[in-house]
């Protein structure tokens, strides 16, 4: 069977097909006219990937877990069941696409340690956590996924006007970190200010929980020339098929980053304790000092495809302009939950 690069979201696989293809034609899986390669030529890639799984009765069907964690295939365009079945046959895998699988014990143990650490930080010990154990698990190498921001990158911060008569934007020097009574957040402990920003204006409205008719000042921030910000990027997708990558260690880091990213973006509900902030505050401190970076970037849970940026210091960034906005419309959608 022949497969084409359009059958994959992963760029490593797509480029491999393009580079090694010796024919063009209609793909049997997505019907595209493109470069074709025998599916057996991809066996080494997928034998490595599927080595990180084990079969278990309480696992998730393989076709769901692989797509959920790696997003390898464009669902709408590909005969996914047939393609994945043929891949499994080509590597003589003991799995079928409906086999219930989970990650191997080594990977699951590493990921489970995050839950153990969260419990210890909230309930047992906070300031003398066993950092050596964290390093033994390899966490000092799991967050080395970086992006850089220069002066061309626009970042935004919003502040709600709680005084109804104030219909002028705040001054630029009022849009940075608060100067007194530092409150705590998902990333920063109380008394240690971090600068919370977003990659687009709309996401700032969601992150500030703006309400209908609220007036909001939105500041535009840029990195001060010639500085460059280096941040740990929880939004970046890396391919598991990089030949230089140890697939076990890569998977540990990737899955751990995904879980921590969800915790970072999770909003605190009114009935939650502020103790819920402590584990993500700890991991930000860990990243700040072990990686010597300026901040982190992660997806917003309140705005689809929105991206949040937290900077550990505002020394390299400045607010250039401030605009006044008013919320004119709010859409709330819901779906029923089966009992």
């Amino acid at each position: 069977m022949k497969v084409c690069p359009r059958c994959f979201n992963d760029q490593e696989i797509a480029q491999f097909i393009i580079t090694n293809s010796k024919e063009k034609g209609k793909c049997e899986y997505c019907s595209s006219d493109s470069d074709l390669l025998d599916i057996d030529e991809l066996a080494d890639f997928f034998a490595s990937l599927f080595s990180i799984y084990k079969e278990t009765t309480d696992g998730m069907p393989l076709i769901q877990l692989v797509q959920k964690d790696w997003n390898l295939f464009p669902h709408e365009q590909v005969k996914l069941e047939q393609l994945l079945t043929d891949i499994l046959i080509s590597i003589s895998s003991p799995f079928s696409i409906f086999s219930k699988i989970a990650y191997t014990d080594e990977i699951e143990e590493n990921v489970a340690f995050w839950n153990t650490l969260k419990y210890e930080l909230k309930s047992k010990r906070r300031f003398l956590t066993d950092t050596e154990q964290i390093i033994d698990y390899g966490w000092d190498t799991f967050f080395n996924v970086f992006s850089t921001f220069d002066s061309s990158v626009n970042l935004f911060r919003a502040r709600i006007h709680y005084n109804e008569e104030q219909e002028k934007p705040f001054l630029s020097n009022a849009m940075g970190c608060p100067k007194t009574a530092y409150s705590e957040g998902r990333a920063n402990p109380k008394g240690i200010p971090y600068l919370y920003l977003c990659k687009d204006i709309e996401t700032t409205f969601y992150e500030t929980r703006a309400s209908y008719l609220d007036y909001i000042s939105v500041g535009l921030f840029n990195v001060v020339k010639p500085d460059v910000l280096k941040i740990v990027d929880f939004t970046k997708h890396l391919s598991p098929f990089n030949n230089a990558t140890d697939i076990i260690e890569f998977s540990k880091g990737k899955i751990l980053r995904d879980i921590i990213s969800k915790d970072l973006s999770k909003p605190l509900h009114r009935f939650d304790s502020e103790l819920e902030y402590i584990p993500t505050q700890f991991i930000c401190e860990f990243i700040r000092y072990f990686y010597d970076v300026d901040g982190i970037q992660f997806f917003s849970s309140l705005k689809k495809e929105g991206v949040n940026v937290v900077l550990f210091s505002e020394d390299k960034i400045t607010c250039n302009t401030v605009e006044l906005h008013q919320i004119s419309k709010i859409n709330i959608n819901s779906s029923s939950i089966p009992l």
Side-chain angles (χ1 to χ4, degrees):
M1 299 285 282
K2 307 288 184 180
V3 68
C4 84
R6 297 182 185 177
C7 289
F8 300 94
N9 289 325
D10 187 275
Q11 293 303 305
E12 291 278 347
I13 289 284
Q15 190 57 50
F16 180 84
I17 295 172
I18 294 169
T19 301
N20 292 276
S21 173
K22 294 181 173 59
E23 63 177 297
K24 294 182 181 290
K26 191 168 186 176
C27 177
E28 299 171 63
Y29 299 103
C30 71
S31 300
S32 298
D33 290 319
S34 185
D35 297 289
L36 298 176
L37 188 68
D38 194 292
I39 202 167
D40 291 339
E41 297 291 324
L42 305 180
D44 289 344
F45 289 102
F46 285 98
S48 173
L49 179 63
F50 288 112
S51 70
I52 66 178
Y53 297 114
K54 65 181 180 182
E55 196 160 7
T56 176
T57 55
D58 58 352
M60 183 182 294
L62 180 146
I63 193 169
Q64 294 179 21
L65 183 59
V66 169
Q67 192 67 352
K68 178 180 79 71
D69 283 349
W70 304 105
N71 190 30
L72 294 178
F73 312 100
H75 260 305
E76 302 80 10
Q77 305 165 19
V78 176
K79 298 175 182 176
L80 181 54
E81 291 187 8
Q82 186 61 53
L83 174 56
L84 197 47
T85 295
D86 290 345
I87 288 171
L88 292 170
I89 292 172
S90 74
I91 63 174
S92 302
S93 172
F95 303 137
S96 76
I97 60 173
F98 300 116
S99 296
K100 291 189 175 181
I101 62 169
Y103 288 96
T104 59
D105 293 344
E106 182 180 355
I107 296 173
E108 287 197 334
E109 180 184 355
N110 176 77
V111 174
F113 182 64
W114 173 238
N115 290 325
T116 301
L117 181 62
K118 287 199 293 185
Y119 170 75
E120 289 187 352
L121 289 167
K122 289 189 289 186
S123 306
K124 295 180 68 176
R125 55 179 177 172
R126 193 155 302 155
F127 302 109
L128 295 175
T129 298
D130 190 354
T131 307
E132 289 186 5
Q133 188 175 3
I134 296 171
I135 294 174
D136 286 344
Y137 273 102
W139 287 22
D140 56 328
T141 64
F142 288 161
F143 300 99
N144 57 350
V145 180
F146 306 116
S147 288
T148 57
F149 297 164
D150 60 19
S151 60
S152 67
V153 176
N154 292 332
L155 299 169
F156 302 91
R157 180 172 186 247
R159 285 190 60 192
I160 297 174
H161 293 225
Y162 290 105
N163 181 348
E164 293 182 1
E165 295 179 358
Q166 187 173 2
E167 296 183 10
K168 293 182 179 180
F170 291 123
L171 298 177
S172 295
N173 60 11
M175 294 303 297
C177 294
K179 298 297 185 279
T180 58
Y182 303 138
S183 61
E184 61 185 325
R186 277 283 168 200
N188 70 294
K190 190 171 184 177
I192 302 176
Y194 290 171
L195 184 60
Y196 290 77
L197 303 164
C198 299
K199 296 291 284 289
D200 67 274
I201 293 176
E202 188 176 358
T203 301
T204 69
F205 301 151
Y206 283 86
E207 291 294 331
T208 55
R209 278 66 158 189
S211 299
Y212 180 58
L213 297 182
D214 276 348
Y215 286 97
I216 300 175
S217 284
V218 178
L220 167 63
F221 288 78
N222 298 99
V223 180
V224 178
K225 292 181 179 180
D227 287 328
V228 174
L229 296 177
K230 180 181 180 182
I231 66 168
V232 169
D233 193 344
F234 285 88
T235 71
K236 184 176 286 187
H237 175 77
L238 301 179
S239 172
F241 300 120
N242 188 315
N243 290 332
T245 300
D246 179 318
I247 190 65
I248 298 293
E249 294 304 303
F250 178 89
S251 300
K252 288 179 184 178
K254 190 266 183 193
I255 298 162
L256 179 67
R257 290 192 302 274
D258 286 351
I259 293 172
I260 292 176
S261 180
K262 289 178 182 177
D263 283 347
L264 280 165
S265 63
K266 190 187 303 177
L268 192 69
H269 300 291
R270 61 182 179 275
F271 47 79
D272 289 334
S273 165
E274 290 188 349
L275 291 174
E276 297 299 318
Y277 282 147
I278 292 171
T280 48
Q281 292 170 355
F282 171 84
I283 209 67
C284 286
E285 286 280 289
F286 180 84
I287 288 171
R288 182 178 185 179
Y289 290 103
F290 270 82
Y291 289 86
D292 189 26
V293 292
D294 297 295
I296 61 173
Q297 175 171 266
F298 55 95
F299 285 115
S300 169
S301 65
L302 300 174
K303 165 72 165 53
K304 186 177 181 181
E305 299 181 355
V307 174
N308 296 326
V309 176
V310 176
L311 299 183
F312 303 140
S313 168
E314 57 184 344
D315 292 347
K316 297 181 182 179
I317 199 163
T318 186
C319 180
N320 288 312
T321 61
V322 183
E323 291 183 346
L324 185 66
H325 292 252
Q326 186 177 31
I327 303 300
S328 58
K329 186 177 181 181
I330 292 178
N331 291 321
I332 298 177
N333 297 313
S334 67
S335 57
S336 59
I337 300 175
L339 300 178

